[in-house]
Amino acid sequence: MRAMFLRATALCALVAATPPATAQTRWPNGAKAAVVLTYDDALPSQLDHVVPALDAEGFKGTFFLANVQQAHVERWRGVAADGHELANHTIFHPCSKASYPADPRFVSEAYTPASMLREIEQQNVLLRALDGKTRHGLATPCGQSQAGGIDYLEDLRKANLVTYVRGVFYTPADARANVAKVDPMRLPARGFGEGAVAEDMIAFVEEAERGGGWAVLLFHGVGGDYLAVPDAEHRKFVAWLAAHRGEVWVTTLQGALDWAKANP
């Protein structure tokens, strides 16, 4: 997973520069862009560092849960109760066997589209037990949407199991997107991992401000675990967002989609 994430992040950096564009989405209170902070894999560092940092500024993030540790179930229930979005990242996080060493039972080649959808459905049961909500979004493990070599996104769309699917890809056009018109089964995100600094994140948001669209950021560990952004850099970025509340709207992924749909 580390190698794939780093390759995707490098690609994002190559295409990040984009010229100014006309605003595409009418965000609340005249904000120039929406900012969505997403965190994958239900990592302890997110509970220890991310949630307190966001709560201190009144911001809400989107947390894609997979491999939830029993010891942290009540903490995740508390995160949901505080208004953060919990979302689906499957139960066992099945990626291709080339991504990173994994139990051969839980690589995507061992799945079929039908078994992948069953796992997503079962993870929804856990999420409902945590937050009481009947509908949730999904982030594909490793940004991959294949099971047994077959893309399952259209089957997932037809099954109506999730409200959206976030991937791991980004192009400059996303900064200029009319979010009301994006395909909810193929949502972008730009990953930030080891070596990322607040200035990188700020530049990404400023690009979205110029475009009038949105900036969806993807993190794993923060101040610990893996693919970790330093806690100090994450906090610096959150402080910058707080200082620019009049320019950017920080919201959950479901919140951004719901607003854009209601205000096309």
Side-chain angles (χ1 to χ4, degrees):
M1 181 169 64
R2 178 188 298 267
M4 178 168 293
F5 180 85
L6 293 177
R7 287 197 299 271
T9 302
L11 177 61
C12 290
L14 288 174
V15 299
T18 182
T22 303
Q24 295 296 319
T25 307
R26 296 186 297 114
W27 298 115
N29 302 315
K32 299 177 182 177
V35 176
V36 179
L37 308 176
T38 72
Y39 304 85
D40 286 12
D41 298 354
L43 300 178
S45 66
Q46 297 166 5
L47 294 166
D48 295 339
H49 300 300
V50 173
V51 173
L54 297 185
D55 284 349
E57 299 295 351
F59 294 149
K60 306 304 176 187
T62 298
F63 295 86
F64 291 98
L65 305 191
N67 292 310
V68 176
Q69 299 178 29
Q70 184 173 355
H72 296 151
V73 166
E74 290 305 320
R75 295 183 73 183
W76 285 117
R77 183 174 283 120
V79 170
D82 286 342
H84 299 281
E85 180 186 5
L86 302 186
N88 198 317
H89 204 32
T90 73
I91 298 174
F92 299 112
H93 200 282
C95 297
S96 70
K97 58 187 177 183
S99 300
Y100 57 89
D103 188 316
R105 296 173 299 171
F106 304 126
V107 296
S108 61
E109 288 87 349
Y111 284 66
T112 65
S115 64
M116 185 70 76
L117 266 59
R118 282 196 297 272
E119 182 167 320
I120 291 168
E121 185 174 24
Q122 286 301 302
Q123 183 71 340
N124 280 341
V125 174
L126 170 63
L127 292 171
R128 184 172 184 179
L130 292 175
D131 64 15
K133 297 181 179 179
T134 59
R135 302 285 287 160
H136 297 88
L138 169 78
T140 50
C142 297
Q144 301 166 2
S145 60
Q146 290 200 335
I150 301 171
D151 193 286
Y152 60 82
L153 284 187
E154 290 309 313
D155 287 343
L156 185 59
R157 189 196 302 271
K158 293 173 184 176
N160 198 32
L161 291 176
V162 297
T163 56
Y164 64 77
V165 177
R166 195 220 67 199
V168 185
F169 62 88
Y170 164 73
T171 70
D174 297 315
R176 305 187 298 272
N178 182 336
V179 177
K181 296 182 179 180
V182 300
D183 181 355
M185 303 302 288
R186 291 176 171 82
L187 300 183
R190 179 178 171 188
F192 292 87
E194 295 172 359
V197 296
E199 286 74 15
D200 298 333
M201 306 164 205
I202 292 168
F204 181 52
V205 172
E206 290 177 334
E207 179 186 358
E209 287 188 68
R210 292 191 295 270
W214 62 350
V216 183
L217 295 88
L218 162 60
F219 301 95
H220 288 83
V222 174
D225 300 312
Y226 50 82
L227 296 172
V229 171
D231 182 38
E233 295 299 324
H234 182 267
R235 288 183 177 273
K236 182 178 178 181
F237 175 54
V238 171
W240 184 89
L241 292 173
H244 292 79
R245 293 178 192 270
E247 301 167 24
V248 296
W249 179 45
V250 180
T251 186
T252 63
L253 191 44
Q254 190 67 63
L257 292 170
D258 289 347
W259 173 271
K261 183 177 179 180
N263 300 271

